[in-house]
């Protein structure tokens, strides 16, 4: 109800030690720069889930500049927790997802249509391996129908034990200072940092640096799920045995 009633610039506070059992929410068209904050002293204190495992996303963002912070998302099993949506009439560019935990289920964050200037910082992405999302994973690009996503920053996150970690076309974006890991140590995700995307056009001119990649340097290849796009910089990323320089081949 709070989301449906939101107006530009509102702040929605989620009380701690509560389960918010909701899905299929869409933000009002044309309402921008709303912030949703979990009020506990850690994300786990405020949990957003879908106990009925209903199909669809927890929330679809249709306005610019929405912010989600300090929330624990019990992963969606038949969609994604957050859908950043862009069509000819709505645009979720400039969204911020900060200091949240996404745990389990099928999908965590998906962008649809080509949102720009998105910031994803300081989150934990854990165990997106099952369910029925079209592309199970942590940060997924579903389409570039309006544009290739541009000017994203994905930094300071931990990615753990998921089918795909980052599988999203983007250009002129930065992916830095993240940790990628799979149980048993070596990364086994089919896409680890793939900025050319399974769906949509290939991204270009990205910067990928200072990430811990969870594989020996010789295994950081396109075949193993690493691709930054034409004209990109790939430098000083850390394999298990050596610092990795140069675009994956």
């Amino acid at each position: 109800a709070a989301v449906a009633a939101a107006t530009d610039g509102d702040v929605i506070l989620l009380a701690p030690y509560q389960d918010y059992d909701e899905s299929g929410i869409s933000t009002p068209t044309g309402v921008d720069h709303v912030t949703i904050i979990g009020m506990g002293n850690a994300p786990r204190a405020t949990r957003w889930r879908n106990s009925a495992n209903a199909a669809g996303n927890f929330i679809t963002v249709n306005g610019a500049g929405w912010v989600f912070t300090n929330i624990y998302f019990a992963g969606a099993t038949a969609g994604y927790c957050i859908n950043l949506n862009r069509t000819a009439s709505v645009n979720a560019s400039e969204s911020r997802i900060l200091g949240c935990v996404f745990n389990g289920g099928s999908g965590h964050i998906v962008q649809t249509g080509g949102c720009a200037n998105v910031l994803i910082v300081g989150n934990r992405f854990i165990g997106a391996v099952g369910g029925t999302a079209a592309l199970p994973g942590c940060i997924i690009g579903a389409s570039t129908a309006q544009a290739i996503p541009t000017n994203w920053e994905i930094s300071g996150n931990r990615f753990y034990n998921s089918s795909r970690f980052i599988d999203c076309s983007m250009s002129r974006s930065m992916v830095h200072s993240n940790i990628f890991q799979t149980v048993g140590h070596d990364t086994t995700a089919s896409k680890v940092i793939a900025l050319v995307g399974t769906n949509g056009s290939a991204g270009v001119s990205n910067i990928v640096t200072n990430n811990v990649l969870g594989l020996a340097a010789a295994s950081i290849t396109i075949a193993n799920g690493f691709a930054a796009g034409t004209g990109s910089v790939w430098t000083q990323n850390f394999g298990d045995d050596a610092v990795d320089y140069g675009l994956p081949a």
Side-chain angles (χ1 to χ4, degrees):
V3 170
T7 59
D8 289 350
D10 279 356
V11 176
I12 298 171
L13 304 179
L14 302 182
Y17 311 112
Q18 300 288 326
D19 280 354
Y20 294 86
D21 198 344
E22 298 185 70
S23 65
I25 299 170
S26 291
T27 70
T29 299
V31 174
D32 300 330
H33 303 109
V34 174
T35 300
I36 303 179
I37 303 173
M39 293 302 291
N41 60 2
R44 191 175 290 272
T46 304
R47 190 166 72 161
W48 193 329
R49 65 175 187 166
N50 171 14
S51 61
N53 296 325
N57 307 306
F58 285 9
I59 185 166
T60 295
V61 181
N62 296 310
W66 280 66
V67 178
F68 299 85
T69 187
N70 201 43
I71 301 167
Y72 180 97
F73 291 90
T77 59
Y80 299 90
C81 298
I82 300 174
N83 173 27
L84 303 177
N85 188 34
R86 181 175 179 181
T87 68
S89 57
V90 303
N91 191 340
S93 293
E94 301 178 9
S95 293
R96 306 286 187 265
I97 301 168
L98 311 171
C100 294
V101 173
F102 298 82
N103 191 3
S106 182
H108 295 158
I109 298 170
V110 64
Q111 82 79 29
T112 307
C115 299
N117 301 307
V118 171
L119 188 64
I120 300 177
V121 174
N123 304 283
R124 299 293 179 266
F125 297 93
I126 306 163
V129 295
T132 58
L135 289 172
C138 302
I139 300 174
I140 301 296
S143 82
T144 54
Q146 300 298 316
I148 295 176
T150 57
N151 297 318
W152 283 45
E153 181 178 347
I154 301 173
S155 64
N157 304 286
R158 182 181 179 188
F159 296 85
Y160 182 73
N161 199 33
S162 296
S163 300
R164 295 171 178 82
F165 292 136
I166 302 172
D167 186 6
C168 182
S169 297
M170 59 184 67
S171 294
R172 300 187 298 282
S173 297
M174 292 186 64
V175 179
H176 69 91
S177 308
N178 303 285
I179 297 174
F180 300 86
Q181 185 181 8
T182 297
V183 64
H185 189 264
D186 280 354
T187 297
T188 58
S190 64
K191 301 291 184 181
V192 183
I193 302 175
L195 308 185
V196 298
T198 299
N199 289 316
S201 303
V204 299
S205 303
N206 297 297
I207 298 174
V208 181
T209 187
N210 282 326
N211 299 286
V212 177
L213 300 177
L215 283 174
S219 297
I220 298 170
T221 64
I222 292 173
N224 284 334
F226 299 89
T230 302
S232 295
V233 174
W234 185 290
T235 185
Q236 203 163 335
N237 294 290
F238 298 91
D240 289 348
D241 56 348
V243 180
D244 185 57
Y245 296 91
L247 292 172

